[in-house]
Amino acid sequence: MTAPISAPPTTLKKLAKLGIHSRFDLVLHLPLRYEDETHLTQIRDARAGTPVVVEGTITDAQVQWKPRKQLIATLEDDTGQLQLRFLHFYPNHIKQLSKGARIRALGEIRHGFHGDELVHPKVREVVDGTPLADHLTPVYPALQGITQPMLRRLVSQSLDDLILADTLPDALRDSLHLLPFRDAIMTLHRPPPSLSVAQLSDGALPAWQRLKFDELLAQQLSMRLAYRARRAHNAPVLTGTGTLTRAFLAQLPFSLTRAQARVMAEISHDLAESHPMHRLLQGDVGSGKTVVAALAALTAIEAGYQATLMAPTEILAEQHHLKLAAWLEPLGVHVTWLTGSLKKSHKQAAIADIAAGVTRLAVGTHALFQDDVAFERLGLAIIDEQHRFGVGQRLALTDKGAAPHQLTMSATPIPRTLAMSYYADLDVSVIDELPPGRTPITTKLISTARRGEVVGAIRAEIAQGRQAYWVCPLIEESETLELQNAVATFEALQQTLPELRVGLVHGRMKADDKAAMMAAFQANEVQLLVATTVIEVGVDVPNATLMVIEHAERMGLAQLHQLRGRVGRGAHASRCVLLFEEPLSELAKARLKVIYQHTDGFEISRQDLLIRGPGEFLGARQSGAPLLRFADPEQDDALLEAAKDWAPRLLSDYPEYAERHLARWLSGREQFLKA
């Protein structure tokens, strides 16, 4: 599979930029599209907007200088004539298109100022008897310095030289009615005359189905191997006495939902195993994941171990710390707060408590996985908003113990098809119901031209004793500009609403100042909180009933859904106002339509996946899982289901096929076992 390519070093470097390192990579470098050079069209029959091959004689050719430099030639056959227009050309083009030359041109007809024309057509000189192509011509992804003829030659050589043996057992192929691998590859590189461009572009073509299944199967196999590798490690058996968990549940002013109880049972079962738990806990905004995290931590603490909870932002980590300390310290559990912004003396004291085992639960940011932090006996690592951390950061935290159990949490629900593919190496738990008493949130889309109405709505809401947020977005990917925007908005609202107590919170504030502002808002000493997106997650103020999000068109769906979830946490009706600037792009319109029409996080995530695609949706996760080149989990869900079913069967019943399949599709697959 790693057969080297015979080419000059400069060509090899350029091929590497296309992801081509071996001759088998060339085999998998599939065409972007196809050109039909199998038949000629007479000029009078050529239709605008349709790719055609026309043949005729050049009757005129000249370089024009107005309105810009361009080469224009007239091509004529027995039925009519059309122009060939080149805005970029070389001396050899002028020679090739000299008067009297017999030319065959491929391109898409369009109506020009002087009649029908082909702009930058593909042209070649012909003599009587020059045959037409006998199959569609593949057009490959390329870059400067790598021409189509070069790629076609290299691909063709690889197809002829390599033995493309099948990596699937007959039983699998027969059960799913899949083409042999070589047949599928040859169809896509050298399509037979019976296939049209439309058929080859259809993902339902049997050749494409085979390639997509192979890719999905390789992904499932790599994930299953990663899952096996992790389960081969020894982990502490965390079977608690139940003393702390019972006391904790007794002091809560509410009962667990059925979904919370079910998920906790799944986690407890994993913690009692002698291999590390790697479980992803999904739950929509406000579904009660923090309560489940507290119960999991108490189970570890009852068993004589420490637990830690890491969050990506200081505000979120601090909210977790305040809530967990209020819940657990009355039970005698010492909870320690650790973040990079702590004073040196406080940080050293926190690190000492963690190392000595005085700390039973450590809560903080990425500071928890720094080299100078050592746990006495870490049994459970909980990572909130896991998609914001890279694979390396998550591993650095779990390296603090001897294969501790790991619970990752996400309030950005992952669509089912992505969970099946990119998260197949994890066990997944879902809290699929909200606690009773949560009030529905009304979402409104309002243009910034009506900003005054929104300010009036804030005044009216606060007059009823409620509170409100005003969130300012990131501008041009600049934290400095984001801060300036928040400060300017804060000052403007202070002037417009002098009767209200307006506060400001942003990421650059000192930790103590940030905590003081959040505490003041929690206590209703601040009525309107102007903030950057640092309050996206973790903030829980039941009296806040109005969320205004400025320039909502600049934000992603997950972020909008998270911000909206900061209200609707009490007994009073809540609203979320999405202020947008016109004109809106098509992408912004699509996002705002989804957030306006849906409140279910799982449906919003599914729509987000359709809009963005899996690569952008997954973020850092692809560091630990192969991205797909040909298959789409959402569109090819039936193939994904089949790959998921067959992966464990292949590993157990046909291990030699599994090995060959992975070797073909995943070079250097050890990277997938580390994530």
Side-chain angles (χ1 to χ4, degrees):
M1 296 310 162
T2 56
I5 301 168
S6 178
T10 53
T11 301
L12 293 177
K13 286 182 181 179
K14 290 174 180 176
L15 289 172
K17 291 181 180 179
L18 288 169
I20 300 172
H21 306 278
S22 69
R23 288 196 290 170
F24 190 74
D25 289 336
L26 284 165
V27 168
L28 291 182
H29 193 66
L30 298 180
L32 275 174
R33 56 187 176 84
Y34 299 86
E35 293 175 344
D36 188 352
E37 298 181 77
T38 61
H39 66 277
L40 292 175
T41 299
Q42 292 184 317
I43 289 176
R44 70 179 177 196
D45 297 328
R47 296 289 177 263
T50 304
V52 294
V53 179
V54 293
E55 185 178 311
T57 302
I58 299 296
T59 58
D60 183 57
Q62 55 184 302
V63 176
Q64 295 185 1
W65 297 89
K66 291 182 180 181
R68 58 174 294 179
K69 185 181 177 182
Q70 54 188 323
L71 172 61
I72 297 178
T74 302
L75 182 71
E76 185 176 298
D77 69 3
D78 294 337
T79 67
Q81 64 181 29
L82 55 78
Q83 285 190 335
L84 310 181
R85 183 186 300 273
F86 298 86
L87 303 177
H88 307 284
F89 57 93
Y90 299 97
N92 64 309
H93 281 103
I94 300 173
K95 182 179 178 181
Q96 184 183 35
L97 297 173
S98 60
K99 187 175 181 180
R102 187 74 178 172
I103 293 295
R104 190 174 291 165
L106 167 67
E108 186 173 299
I109 297 288
R110 76 177 197 182
H111 293 309
F113 185 75
H114 296 290
D116 288 348
E117 63 179 6
L118 295 175
V119 179
H120 280 287
K122 175 183 174 183
V123 297
R124 68 170 65 180
E125 285 188 79
V126 295
V127 295
D128 291 341
T130 299
L132 289 162
D134 60 359
H135 58 76
L136 298 177
T137 305
V139 179
Y140 294 99
L143 45 75
Q144 190 172 5
I146 300 292
T147 65
Q148 289 298 320
M150 182 191 301
L151 277 171
R152 289 180 191 127
R153 177 177 54 80
L154 290 170
V155 169
S156 187
Q157 287 175 352
S158 299
L159 291 172
D160 292 338
D161 294 346
L162 293 179
I163 299 172
L164 302 177
D166 221 292
T167 57
L168 302 184
D170 292 344
L172 191 165
R173 283 212 334 265
D174 292 345
S175 70
L176 299 179
H177 308 291
L178 294 173
L179 284 178
F181 178 76
R182 183 176 180 81
D183 291 355
I185 282 290
M186 297 302 282
T187 296
L188 296 174
H189 283 295
R190 297 172 179 170
S194 58
L195 288 178
S196 67
V197 171
Q199 288 172 310
L200 284 162
S201 302
D202 187 348
L205 188 74
W208 276 118
Q209 293 286 292
R210 171 61 201 261
L211 271 291
K212 290 178 179 182
F213 177 80
D214 275 20
E215 187 177 47
L216 290 166
L217 179 63
Q219 185 192 53
Q220 290 296 311
L221 287 170
S222 70
M223 292 293 198
R224 293 304 301 176
L225 287 173
Y227 186 80
R228 279 187 183 182
R230 287 205 280 248
R231 290 175 72 89
H233 292 100
N234 291 322
V237 175
L238 304 181
T239 50
T241 62
T243 306
L244 290 173
T245 53
R246 283 193 295 270
F248 171 65
L249 291 171
Q251 74 176 13
L252 289 177
F254 53 82
S255 299
L256 296 184
T257 63
R258 285 171 298 179
Q260 285 174 312
R262 183 191 71 247
V263 164
M264 192 56 222
E266 293 168 353
I267 293 169
S268 297
H269 175 271
D270 285 1
L271 294 176
E273 297 283 346
S274 59
H275 49 75
M277 172 180 75
H278 282 266
R279 185 168 287 276
L280 170 65
L281 173 58
Q282 291 192 80
D284 209 343
V285 176
S287 61
K289 295 182 297 299
T290 308
V291 172
V292 173
L295 286 166
L298 287 174
T299 301
I301 293 165
E302 287 175 355
Y305 287 83
Q306 294 167 290
T308 183
L309 189 152
M310 181 173 72
T313 67
E314 202 161 289
I315 279 197
L316 175 54
E318 192 163 19
Q319 293 293 310
H320 277 314
H321 174 249
L322 293 172
K323 185 173 285 187
L324 289 167
W327 281 345
L328 304 188
E329 289 194 337
L331 305 178
V333 175
H334 186 71
V335 182
T336 293
W337 163 244
L338 180 61
T339 182
S341 65
L342 282 178
K343 292 179 180 177
K344 187 175 181 181
S345 59
H346 293 167
K347 188 184 296 184
Q348 289 175 338
I351 291 172
D353 283 351
I354 292 170
V358 174
T359 297
R360 306 317 296 163
L361 173 62
V363 181
T365 58
H366 59 278
L368 287 165
F369 59 74
Q370 300 306 307
D371 291 341
D372 56 350
V373 178
F375 286 80
E376 183 209 33
R377 206 180 187 207
L378 180 61
L380 172 65
I382 303 169
I383 302 169
D384 196 16
E385 292 302 305
Q386 57 83 31
H387 60 283
R388 302 234 192 141
F389 293 103
V391 172
Q393 291 175 313
R394 297 199 295 271
L395 291 177
L397 181 59
T398 54
D399 283 345
K400 296 295 181 182
H405 298 276
Q406 182 174 310
L407 177 66
T408 58
M409 303 194 298
S410 176
T412 304
I414 299 156
R416 172 181 160 276
T417 52
L418 284 194
M420 285 171 59
S421 53
Y422 293 95
Y423 290 83
D425 59 328
L426 301 179
D427 294 305
V428 180
S429 292
V430 179
I431 303 179
D432 52 8
E433 65 177 313
L434 295 177
R438 292 295 301 267
T439 56
I441 303 168
T442 302
T443 303
K444 294 185 177 294
L445 297 174
I446 297 180
S447 166
T448 52
R450 298 167 55 196
R451 190 186 186 93
E453 296 177 32
V454 177
V455 173
I458 288 175
R459 183 182 280 115
E461 196 76 13
I462 292 174
Q464 297 179 44
R466 312 285 172 253
Q467 291 166 272
Y469 299 94
W470 190 296
V471 176
C472 302
L474 186 74
I475 299 177
E476 296 176 3
E477 302 300 319
S478 165
E479 187 180 341
T480 302
L481 290 175
E482 179 186 26
L483 176 58
Q484 290 172 355
N485 186 41
V487 171
T489 302
F490 165 70
E491 292 172 348
L493 288 171
Q494 271 189 320
Q495 292 179 358
T496 308
L497 300 167
E499 72 277 18
L500 302 184
R501 297 184 297 277
V502 185
L504 173 66
V505 64
H506 54 76
R508 289 193 180 180
M509 290 173 69
K510 292 181 179 179
D512 291 345
D513 294 340
K514 208 184 303 177
M517 179 57 67
M518 294 308 301
F521 188 61
Q522 195 111 28
N524 202 4
E525 294 167 7
V526 167
Q527 298 164 306
L528 172 60
L529 183 64
V530 178
T532 57
T533 52
V534 293
I535 61 135
E536 178 185 340
V537 288
V539 179
D540 187 3
V541 181
N543 192 50
T545 55
L546 179 58
M547 165 66 71
V548 178
I549 304 174
E550 194 164 7
H551 287 295
E553 77 278 1
R554 293 177 179 167
M555 297 189 189
L557 280 170
Q559 194 172 48
L560 289 171
H561 183 55
Q562 290 279 9
L563 287 168
R564 180 170 60 183
R566 298 310 102 209
V567 296
R569 293 174 166 259
H572 304 287
S574 296
R575 288 174 291 167
C576 177
V577 174
L578 305 178
L579 277 175
F580 63 88
E581 185 82 43
E582 294 180 293
L584 290 173
S585 68
E586 290 304 313
L587 177 60
K589 286 179 184 177
R591 284 175 173 161
L592 293 180
K593 182 179 179 181
V594 169
I595 203 73
Y596 176 74
Q597 291 180 337
H598 300 284
T599 57
D600 175 38
F602 286 90
E603 178 58 25
I604 290 170
S605 290
R606 193 183 75 81
Q607 296 287 340
D608 200 9
L609 173 63
L610 294 176
I611 291 172
R612 289 197 286 165
E616 188 183 342
F617 185 95
L618 288 163
R621 176 63 186 175
Q622 59 252 39
S623 302
L627 279 178
L628 298 170
R629 293 165 58 191
F630 309 127
D632 180 330
E634 195 72 15
Q635 301 295 325
D636 302 310
D637 56 331
L639 289 175
L640 176 57
E641 290 274 8
K644 185 173 183 290
D645 291 343
W646 267 97
R649 291 174 62 183
L650 215 61
L651 287 168
S652 60
D653 300 343
Y654 304 93
E656 70 284 359
Y657 280 97
E659 182 67 27
R660 289 207 300 266
H661 195 79
L662 277 170
R664 170 171 285 177
W665 282 90
L666 301 176
S667 58
R669 71 178 182 278
E670 65 278 357
Q671 64 176 302
F672 303 111
L673 306 184
K674 294 178 182 176

